[in-house]
Amino acid sequence: MSRSTMARPPRRSGNLPAEATSFIGRRHELAEVRKKLTEARLVSLVGPGGVGKTRLAVRMASGLGRGFPGGAWLVELAEVRDPARVGDTVLATLDLRDQAAADPLARLPAHLRDKRLLIVLDNCEHLLEAASRLVTEIMKAAPGVSVLATSREPLSAPGEHVVPVPPLQLPVAGPLARVRQNEAVTLFVERAAAGSGAFELTAANQAAVAELCRRLDGLPLAIELAAVRTRVLSAEQILDRLSDRFGLLTGGVRAAMPRHQTLRTAIDWSHDLLAAGEQALLRRLSVFSGRFTLEDVESVCAWDDVPAERALDLLSSLVDKSLVMKEDAGSLACYRLHETMREYAGLKLRAAGEEEAVERRCSGYYRSRCRRSAAEARVRLLEWLAWMDLEIDNIRSVLRRCPAHEGVDLVYFLGWYWMTRATSEGVRWLDELLASGPGDPPTRAHGYFMRGFLAVLQSDPAAARPALERAVTAAREADLRSLLSQSLSLAANMAGDRLSSRRLSEEAHSVAAALDDLPATLMALQSRALNGLADGDLDDVRAAASQGVRISREIGDLYSLGMMLLNLGSAMLMAGALDEAKPLLAEALPIAHRIDDRVAQYCLLDALGCHAAASGQAQVAARLLGAAETVRTGAGASLQPYLTRLVARAEESATAALGEPGFRAEYEAGARLSRDAAIRLALGEPAPAARAAPADAGPLGKREAEVARLVADGLSNKRIAARLFISEHTVDSHVRNILNKLGVNSRAQIAAWMAASGQADGRSSTASGSAAFDEGSSETV
């Protein structure tokens, strides 16, 4: 039976982020997009920067996600600058891995062919041609996939339906109740209340708030920047100052300016209210292409007006003023700029004449840090990969700016990232930089070694052999004996004939032995073990891998430890020593999971599936073999030759035990498992039990939980306001936030969630609850 015909993709739910703030209005646009997506598979939301396209797209996708069994997936392109990386970014978003395939993009249409899912391509305007080309390929190959794009202009792809995203509806004069219902006013009031803690729309300030929203053309970003100033200014004071700014630009004529100029003016006004240090920091932050940390800011942006000891205070102030966004990456706080704000800050940086200085500091900082961390990455791999996942967009920017010889060295320092995260991207960088001028012998040796290593991972001997030959020559010339030994070891695995392989391997071992160098020794042992697996020399595999396990365990080298355990466990499996093989493979699999090495994960799932088959666990074997195939194709890897024989034998054994239909059913069930579930199955761990959330758990704050309990009890917003002694408008705001945080769309669903989590008081009967939902159905939720 062909594995390629049996594999089925895992079922996933998507990756849409929870909305941090309430979603305001846009009922007409939501209805229009929903209608378009029933008629077309490609819909583009088009509008100026700051108009709210991303929020609209995420809200739309959240509502439609249940209609797509494969889920809704947000692909963020704002920080992607290289058109070649558009497809890579989609792959990564879909939890596929550019780790082994020579042409990862060829896998995307194949992966999506039988899927029904929604892709949200966000911020396409600077990558129109690449985005259009990719979407066109997806549309042709995958009839069940729909795409919702956001851009400042259309993609101009075949079959595209464009939905313009206008600013929010502008308020008109009228009574307070009518003004309060306006979308732009609602946004201002909610953001002002969140920022100041006490803002409310009143008869006294409604005229100023309404005029502010009109002055700002209903642009959400401009309104939010103005609203946050209510911490220190009244609405009337904000209006006066903005009116002065607009008057200067228009000569006092109250004619509408182009919307992009309105937004620029609003940002200018907010910028001019900043202290000198805040202004300096904001413009310098534009040098970061992606997320950044406080340490990055202190190292790159701190001089003159931004002393290092004040960087935290200044950064916090910019966050408070909604000019910088704070995010969390695990336990680490990080920051980023809205794309429109980054563009604005970049203009200010150039106007201040600081662009060259900041870029020089940024490049020097990342090159230095990558060089220092490369030496210890091997023994601190988890920490190093987490840092790289956070910083890679900034490092890519440095690679685009630096001279070729510096770029080659930088790519070499990032070797573990390309090996475990982005193999073909590393290949692209090296091919471009080496062709531009590889530099002196040490630089050439580093560059060609890494190019050969990545080609080995891609199972591409045609590229690996010449690169490794050049690496050997350059390493000899530069007297880099550790790198020489490692290059010879890799070349031995790619030699193509046993005689050449043995000769290269012996020289690599000889050089490594003379050096007493751990990386060279481990590479030589890995090469020897792989050759032994290929040749069936299990004694040699056991000898080499046992020594490799001991060394890598002693120094804390997780990557090498996982590989050596896999080699040793596979040798035991091939020898029929099942009791000795299982603990080795079972130790290696969590390591591969922790460093997210998909190639190692598929090999280990296959090996443990083979172990299960040999142990008489046919059902488990079939499921693990199916799961391994999904992980393997997701990484773009080829089946290892030594595993081919083992897997074929395991499939025959499991099929004999289960019958052809039974084996196919179990195999396909395994192929649909998540990787976490597959790993638990392989390790014999039970699935986590579903538990009701405790009464004090959940995403709701204390006041939101109080409001949600009263909603569950059947109270309308008006009655909740009276019960809690707050305004009806504040209750409405809480209800919106509750809906967003719980990811539901109705008051009935709030009540159901509260009951399921054990937080409802339980006083309301079904009848009274139903009546209350009818009463509340006319309210804005």
Side-chain angles (χ1 to χ4, degrees):
M1 185 183 304
S2 168
R3 299 188 73 169
S4 62
T5 62
M6 293 165 43
R8 293 294 183 272
R11 184 173 179 137
R12 303 185 189 279
S13 59
N15 71 332
L16 297 180
E19 293 178 289
T21 56
S22 58
F23 184 84
I24 307 296
R26 297 295 194 189
R27 293 180 178 179
H28 171 76
E29 288 80 10
L30 288 169
E32 180 69 11
V33 174
R34 186 182 296 273
K35 177 183 175 184
K36 291 286 189 184
L37 280 172
T38 63
E39 303 168 352
R41 293 170 50 222
L42 171 59
V43 175
S44 294
L45 305 180
V46 176
V51 81
K53 301 183 292 296
T54 300
R55 286 298 304 271
L56 176 59
V58 170
R59 169 49 66 102
M60 191 72 248
S62 297
L64 294 175
R66 298 178 185 87
F68 291 91
W73 298 85
L74 175 64
V75 181
E76 299 179 280
L77 298 179
E79 293 163 3
V80 176
R81 291 293 176 264
D82 181 0
R85 288 199 56 251
V86 173
D88 296 343
T89 306
V90 177
L91 279 172
T93 300
L94 295 174
D95 199 31
L96 302 175
R97 182 51 56 87
D98 166 21
Q99 193 177 349
D103 184 11
L105 294 189
R107 294 186 290 126
L108 190 55
H111 172 78
L112 294 173
R113 186 165 291 121
D114 59 353
K115 301 288 193 303
R116 285 188 59 213
L117 54 82
L118 176 65
I119 296 175
V120 180
L121 277 183
D122 189 35
N123 289 112
C124 299
E125 52 273 352
H126 59 300
L127 299 162
L128 286 175
E129 184 177 347
S132 176
R133 186 166 55 248
L134 180 67
V135 167
T136 300
E137 291 300 315
I138 291 174
M139 295 287 103
K140 289 178 182 176
V145 173
S146 294
V147 176
L148 182 61
T150 76
S151 180
R152 295 181 189 178
E153 55 184 295
L155 302 187
S156 299
E160 179 183 27
H161 284 221
V162 175
V163 175
V165 180
L168 296 173
Q169 177 189 21
L170 298 180
V172 295
L176 180 61
R178 181 187 299 174
V179 173
R180 179 174 283 149
Q181 292 174 358
N182 174 261
E183 294 178 351
V185 170
T186 299
L187 177 62
F188 182 92
V189 171
E190 289 207 5
R191 299 302 185 261
S196 66
F199 188 88
E200 289 206 26
L201 188 71
T202 65
N205 66 18
Q206 67 166 325
V209 171
E211 180 60 21
L212 259 176
C213 294
R214 286 192 289 268
R215 278 286 190 180
L216 296 173
D217 275 345
L219 288 165
L221 179 57
I223 290 172
E224 293 191 15
L225 288 174
V228 77
R229 289 294 179 175
T230 56
R231 292 172 180 169
V232 292
L233 298 172
S234 69
E236 292 81 0
Q237 288 174 310
I238 296 172
L239 177 61
D240 288 342
R241 284 156 176 76
L242 267 176
S243 295
D244 289 344
R245 175 59 58 88
F246 281 113
L248 289 172
L249 290 174
T250 62
V253 179
R254 295 175 59 86
M257 296 187 296
R259 287 187 177 120
H260 67 86
Q261 191 174 350
T262 298
L263 180 60
R264 171 65 187 270
T265 302
I267 297 175
D268 264 337
W269 172 78
S270 189
H271 170 269
D272 289 351
L273 292 177
L274 300 175
E278 293 171 323
Q279 292 180 348
L281 180 56
L282 179 62
R283 65 178 178 259
R284 292 171 191 173
L285 292 177
S286 66
V287 77
F288 296 112
S289 294
R291 297 177 295 177
F292 50 89
T293 66
L294 176 61
E295 182 180 356
D296 300 335
V297 173
E298 290 171 336
S299 301
V300 174
C301 303
W303 80 89
D304 290 347
D305 290 339
V306 185
E309 63 273 13
R310 290 203 61 223
L312 175 58
D313 290 340
L314 293 172
L315 183 61
S316 299
S317 180
L318 294 177
V319 171
D320 289 342
K321 295 176 173 65
S322 297
L323 297 168
V324 173
M325 295 180 287
K326 179 179 176 292
E327 299 178 351
D328 289 320
S331 59
L332 181 67
C334 59
Y335 309 88
R336 59 186 289 265
L337 293 177
H338 185 285
E339 186 63 15
T340 302
M341 196 60 63
R342 182 186 288 117
E343 292 174 2
Y344 176 87
L347 293 174
K348 289 294 184 183
L349 185 69
R350 287 188 285 277
E354 292 183 340
E355 184 176 24
E356 183 179 346
V358 176
E359 288 184 350
R360 185 171 59 252
R361 292 173 67 97
C362 184
S363 296
Y365 165 69
Y366 281 108
R367 287 202 312 273
S368 174
R369 187 161 182 188
C370 288
R371 182 184 299 109
R372 292 196 313 270
S373 65
E376 57 186 19
R378 176 185 291 272
V379 296
R380 299 179 63 183
L381 190 57
L382 291 173
E383 179 184 339
W384 187 88
L385 285 172
W387 179 74
M388 281 299 303
D389 286 336
L390 172 65
E391 297 281 11
I392 185 61
D393 284 317
N394 297 317
I395 295 170
R396 286 176 177 127
S397 255
V398 172
L399 279 169
R400 282 193 296 271
R401 292 194 298 262
C402 66
H405 65 281
E406 292 181 357
V408 170
D409 282 334
L410 183 52
V411 172
Y412 173 75
F413 297 145
L414 306 182
W416 295 103
Y417 183 81
W418 314 127
M419 290 158 55
T420 61
R421 299 289 189 271
T423 306
S424 65
E425 184 188 351
V427 166
R428 286 198 303 269
W429 281 116
L430 286 168
D431 285 347
E432 176 184 336
L433 294 166
L434 289 168
S436 300
D440 56 17
T443 298
R444 291 201 303 274
H446 289 146
Y448 285 121
F449 166 78
M450 187 54 62
R451 181 63 181 89
F453 198 162
L454 298 182
V456 170
L457 295 179
Q458 292 179 321
S459 300
D460 184 7
R465 288 170 188 155
L468 292 170
E469 287 173 3
R470 292 187 181 100
V472 167
T473 299
R476 290 190 200 279
E477 185 179 351
D479 195 27
L480 298 174
R481 285 179 287 174
S482 175
L483 198 67
L484 171 62
S485 176
Q486 294 178 66
S487 301
L488 288 166
S489 294
L490 285 174
N493 290 130
M494 291 284 107
D497 65 85
R498 290 189 179 183
L499 184 61
S500 298
S501 176
R502 185 180 298 276
R503 176 180 57 79
L504 292 165
S505 184
E506 288 175 352
E507 184 181 359
H509 180 74
S510 175
V511 174
L515 288 175
D516 192 26
D517 178 81
L518 289 178
T521 299
L522 287 170
M523 184 71 83
L525 291 171
Q526 172 72 356
S527 174
R528 181 178 160 195
L530 290 178
N531 282 336
L533 287 171
D535 296 340
D537 187 346
L538 301 185
D539 288 339
D540 205 28
V541 178
R542 281 192 287 261
S546 295
Q547 186 180 355
V549 166
R550 178 183 59 79
I551 294 172
S552 52
R553 198 188 299 281
E554 286 175 357
I555 66 174
D557 182 346
L558 283 179
Y559 185 88
S560 295
L561 177 59
M563 290 294 101
M564 294 299 179
L565 288 167
L566 170 60
N567 295 336
L568 187 55
S570 298
M572 297 299 184
L573 191 61
M574 293 169 73
L578 300 183
D579 290 342
E580 296 175 68
K582 180 67 179 286
L584 296 167
L585 300 171
E587 182 183 356
L589 184 54
I591 293 173
H593 191 219
R594 288 170 68 197
I595 65 176
D596 201 14
D597 183 342
R598 307 291 174 85
V599 171
Q601 286 174 37
Y602 104 73
C603 289
L604 288 158
L605 288 171
D606 258 338
L608 286 163
C610 294
H611 185 280
S615 303
Q617 299 174 285
Q619 181 187 44
V620 172
R623 291 202 173 197
L624 290 179
L625 295 174
E629 178 68 358
T630 295
V631 177
R632 184 186 72 78
T633 56
S638 302
L639 190 62
Q640 293 288 336
Y642 79 88
L643 278 175
T644 303
R645 299 187 296 272
L646 289 172
V647 167
R649 193 187 316 153
E651 287 182 351
E652 290 174 7
S653 172
T655 302
L658 299 171
E660 179 74 23
F663 177 77
R664 181 183 293 274
E666 295 298 336
Y667 187 100
E668 293 184 350
R672 290 192 295 271
L673 289 174
S674 68
R675 283 185 300 108
D676 286 348
I679 289 169
R680 285 195 299 270
L681 176 64
L683 298 176
E685 297 175 355
R691 296 179 300 155
D696 60 347
L700 305 182
K702 182 178 179 181
R703 176 63 87 180
E704 290 167 343
E706 289 177 334
V707 171
R709 276 192 286 273
L710 294 174
V711 168
D713 284 345
L715 275 65
S716 68
N717 285 5
K718 184 175 182 180
R719 292 171 61 195
I720 293 172
R723 177 79 61 89
L724 298 179
F725 301 101
I726 57 178
S727 73
E728 187 176 346
H729 175 71
T730 300
V731 175
D732 181 66
S733 177
H734 283 311
V735 172
R736 290 177 188 272
N737 288 337
I738 293 165
L739 291 168
N740 285 334
K741 287 185 176 182
L742 299 185
V744 299
N745 300 311
S746 70
R747 298 168 79 88
Q749 289 174 308
I750 293 176
W753 187 90
M754 294 294 289
S757 64
Q759 298 190 62
D761 289 344
R763 295 193 300 266
S764 58
S765 66
T766 302
S768 66
S770 176
F773 298 141
D774 289 340
E775 175 189 355
S777 63
S778 62
E779 296 179 353
T780 301
V781 296

